[in-house]
Amino acid sequence: GENVEQHPSTLSVQEGDSAVIKCTYSDSASNYFPWYKQELGKRPQLIIDIRSNVGEKKDQRIAVTLNKTAKHFSLHITETQPEDSAVYFCAASSGGGADGLTFGKGTHLIIQP
Amino acid sequence: DTAVSQTPKYLVTQMGNDKSIKCEQNLGHDTMYWYKQDSKKFLKIMFSYNNKELIINETVPNRFSPKSPDKAHLNLHINSLELGDSAVYFCASSQVPGRTLRFGPGTRLTVT
């Protein structure tokens, strides 16, 4: 089955700086890569996703890049704000069949004032 | 107009008991899931149901059994609870298997 590795496990950045979280996947059939944000005590919520037919996608301060050859994808957050503090999960799926999403182990992002 | 709901939100029980968690979605999605989030925040899929048919069963003890009376509901029944079952259990649904998940609010299960 799919295996998703996520790094770093904890990331601390100064407010206003950029944050980058990286993930690798093992199944070359995976074609859907979402990112979820989970605030303390709340449910994970989708913030951005990318499919394997594109290399980059942006939505305001967040962007995701995908390198299919290397089987890795990254989340970029620019101009970080205190409300960006949360745990971020990457995930991968081949979709179309019976599988759910396979998640990375999460990155705790801390925005320092 | 809650999309995915779960009850109860908190569940405290003793070892050996049997308990159930209920989940309902009003999104018209065909696939529903149960995920377990342990103390280290790792999200692991337990089950998924598509059109009332179980299509994934990961390495989950058979003390856990999903029950789906219809495609809008996927309940989780747990027999003979153990300390290691303590976790947050999230129900989720998706329109297409393996695509965007909508999570419920979670049920924090504590086994004493």
Side-chain angles (χ1 to χ4, degrees):
Chain A
E2 176 65 275
N3 182 50
V4 178
E5 298 285 340
Q6 182 172 347
H7 300 279
S9 57
T10 304
L11 178 60
S12 181
V13 301
Q14 290 293 125
E15 182 179 350
D17 287 350
S18 296
V20 180
I21 302 170
K22 299 182 179 182
C23 289
T24 60
Y25 61 98
S26 62
D27 187 352
S28 56
S30 287
N31 56 15
Y32 175 65
F33 308 92
W35 287 86
Y36 285 78
K37 176 182 180 182
Q38 185 178 25
E39 297 176 350
L40 187 62
K42 297 191 176 180
R43 74 191 79 187
Q45 293 195 302
L46 178 73
I47 55 172
I48 195 168
D49 57 12
I50 191 168
R51 295 176 192 267
S52 59
N53 57 348
V54 298
E56 184 176 2
K57 183 176 179 181
K58 290 183 179 180
D59 183 3
Q60 300 182 329
R61 296 186 298 108
I62 60 175
V64 58
T65 57
L66 171 66
N67 182 327
K68 286 176 57 180
T69 303
K71 295 186 194 168
H72 67 70
F73 56 113
S74 301
L75 177 71
H76 304 253
I77 306 174
T78 58
E79 301 173 11
T80 52
Q81 301 170 2
E83 54 265 35
D84 294 330
S85 292
V87 178
Y88 291 80
F89 294 94
C90 62
S93 167
S94 58
D99 295 336
L101 294 176
T102 299
F103 285 87
K105 293 190 174 182
T107 296
H108 185 194
L109 177 62
I110 302 165
I111 307 300
Q112 303 279 5
Chain B
D1 60 339
T2 303
V4 183
S5 59
Q6 290 178 233
T7 54
K9 187 170 177 63
Y10 300 97
L11 184 54
V12 181
T13 188
Q14 292 184 327
M15 287 175 55
N17 285 348
D18 302 339
K19 291 293 179 185
S20 292
I21 306 171
K22 294 185 177 181
C23 177
E24 176 181 2
Q25 55 96 5
N26 63 5
L27 298 165
H29 288 171
D30 285 334
T31 308
M32 296 184 71
Y33 310 83
W34 278 104
Y35 277 83
K36 178 181 180 180
Q37 186 169 46
D38 61 24
S39 58
K40 296 183 178 180
K41 300 293 186 182
F42 185 41
L43 276 165
K44 182 168 182 174
I45 190 167
M46 300 177 71
F47 303 103
S48 73
Y49 252 76
N50 180 270
N51 288 326
K52 296 181 66 175
E53 181 182 356
L54 178 66
I55 51 176
I56 294 179
N57 186 345
E58 295 289 319
T59 54
V60 174
N62 58 13
R63 297 183 296 103
F64 291 79
S65 55
K67 300 187 190 302
S68 180
D70 55 62
K71 81 169 194 176
H73 297 84
L74 182 63
N75 303 326
L76 182 65
H77 189 75
I78 315 169
N79 291 325
S80 303
L81 278 155
E82 300 177 357
L83 291 176
D85 298 332
S86 295
V88 179
Y89 292 84
F90 285 100
C91 176
S93 70
S94 66
Q95 190 169 22
V96 176
R99 290 298 187 248
T100 306
L101 293 182
R102 291 286 294 271
F103 283 91
T107 296
R108 181 173 294 277
L109 172 65
T110 303
V111 183
T112 62

